[in-house]
Amino acid sequence: MPEPLDLTHLRTLVTIADTGGFRRAADALHLSQPTVSQHVRLLERRLKLPLVEKDGRGSRFTADGERLVVEARKLLAAHDSVLARFAPADPRRITIGSTEHAADGLLPQLLGVLRAAYPDVYLHFRIERSTALTDAVLKGTLDLAVVLGGNGDPVGTEVGALELRWVAGPHWQPPAVPGPISLVAFEEPCGLRRRAVHRLTEIGFEVSVTAESGSLDGVLAAARAGLGIALLPFHTAIPDGVAEVRGLPAMGSVDVRLVARRGLGSGIEATAVAAIAAHYRPTSDRQLRGVA
């Protein structure tokens, strides 16, 4: 019988594809970069095929590497689905994740609703990016996650929306079109970043990402420093130190979604959906009136 593939190594390979590199994969998986490289080498040795090749100063997947990423996603999805179905539920603890954007004002309200409905349950929160939170729910290590849409196929239940605004330092001025423009953004993978680059390019700008960060605080700090413009979602007032940039195309909104672990009690999920939808309803109502 052939030696089986190591699921940990396959998950590392998929994370490299999702995050865009070995260093970012190491950060996402809380591993060292040499360990990530070793996982890839062990897969190459097992399959007797090169999966990654040099590309200038960086690297890229070979054709076999790209094919393996596709198959690895299927294997890991099936594996995680089995674990989720058989994982014992712990009614004494609910672990909830949220993006930084969605957490603003939401978590205290959600905490109050869940504590009132489940007074004997310990609630644990985690702040992370949407892609990492969704992956954690699918693996069964997170019960609920409030994430932003726009990162691939929609997941979970839509519970609200956040308005997208262009912001920059108070003294930043938009350059003339056509011409170069500086963008500050989240590290890839990021749907907002891709959306901003596409729209700015579409209207004639040559976009250069001059600063990137894995956190909202980092993106805002770069914008405050005048390093460029950022496209960000807001539910409340724009933070101090940045101002909305007028004169650029309106970008609409991004949906907020609740993703629930398979096997989580339907009552818990329904309670969370109702609480989060109530939190975002005023914003959604204003947007609907603006469209009408």
Side-chain angles (χ1 to χ4, degrees):
M1 180 177 177
E3 180 186 350
L5 293 169
D6 190 303
L7 292 178
T8 299
H9 300 166
L10 291 176
R11 198 176 298 281
T12 297
L13 191 77
V14 168
T15 305
I16 293 170
D18 288 342
T19 59
F22 281 64
R23 178 182 61 81
R24 290 174 179 167
D27 291 341
L29 294 168
H30 305 291
L31 298 173
S32 67
Q33 190 167 329
T35 299
V36 168
S37 299
Q38 182 186 39
H39 287 180
V40 174
R41 287 197 299 271
L42 289 171
L43 281 173
E44 290 178 326
R45 187 181 306 167
R46 167 65 187 84
L47 295 170
K48 298 180 175 58
L49 291 169
L51 303 175
V52 177
E53 61 188 5
K54 288 288 186 182
D55 182 24
R57 294 184 178 179
S59 58
R60 65 180 179 184
F61 287 114
T62 64
D64 288 319
E66 291 177 351
R67 287 196 301 120
L68 183 59
V69 167
V70 172
E71 298 301 328
R73 290 189 194 279
K74 298 176 186 176
L75 281 172
L76 292 170
H79 171 265
D80 294 344
S81 177
V82 170
L83 282 184
R85 285 198 297 271
F86 288 93
D90 184 359
R92 297 165 300 175
R93 178 186 176 99
I94 300 174
T95 305
I96 304 167
S98 176
T99 67
E100 291 175 282
H101 317 286
D104 184 19
L106 168 64
L107 293 189
Q109 182 175 338
L110 183 58
L111 175 65
V113 170
L114 289 175
R115 274 185 174 162
Y118 304 96
D120 298 326
V121 169
Y122 171 72
L123 300 177
H124 178 74
F125 288 97
R126 169 179 165 186
I127 306 297
E128 184 58 271
R129 297 184 62 186
S130 292
T131 48
L133 292 173
T134 301
D135 187 51
V137 173
L138 295 176
K139 292 177 184 175
T141 59
L142 201 61
D143 295 311
L144 294 165
V146 184
V147 302
L148 298 185
N151 287 296
D153 295 332
V155 295
T157 304
E158 185 172 349
V159 289
L162 292 174
E163 183 181 358
L164 292 174
R165 300 184 191 178
W166 298 105
V167 297
H171 304 297
W172 189 89
Q173 293 295 323
V177 182
I181 191 170
S182 299
L183 179 72
V184 297
F186 285 95
E187 296 174 347
E188 290 283 23
C190 177
L192 291 178
R193 173 176 173 155
R194 293 190 293 272
R195 193 165 168 178
V197 170
H198 175 76
R199 191 69 182 99
L200 292 172
T201 302
E202 193 175 53
I203 63 176
F205 284 113
E206 300 168 15
V207 183
S208 174
V209 178
T210 52
E212 58 182 1
S213 175
S215 71
L216 177 59
D217 284 344
V219 174
L220 286 172
R224 288 189 184 102
L227 298 180
I229 192 171
L231 179 66
L232 294 172
F234 296 97
H235 179 59
T236 55
I238 292 175
D240 293 339
V242 293
E244 185 168 5
V245 177
R246 309 288 183 178
L248 290 175
M251 297 298 290
S253 61
V254 61
D255 53 316
V256 180
R257 311 188 73 86
L258 179 71
V259 188
R261 174 178 59 79
R262 185 190 296 271
L264 184 69
S266 58
I268 297 174
E269 182 178 357
T271 301
V273 167
I276 299 168
H279 175 78
Y280 286 113
R281 192 166 295 125
T283 299
S284 301
D285 290 345
R286 285 196 299 273
Q287 288 165 345
L288 288 173
R289 285 197 296 271
V291 171

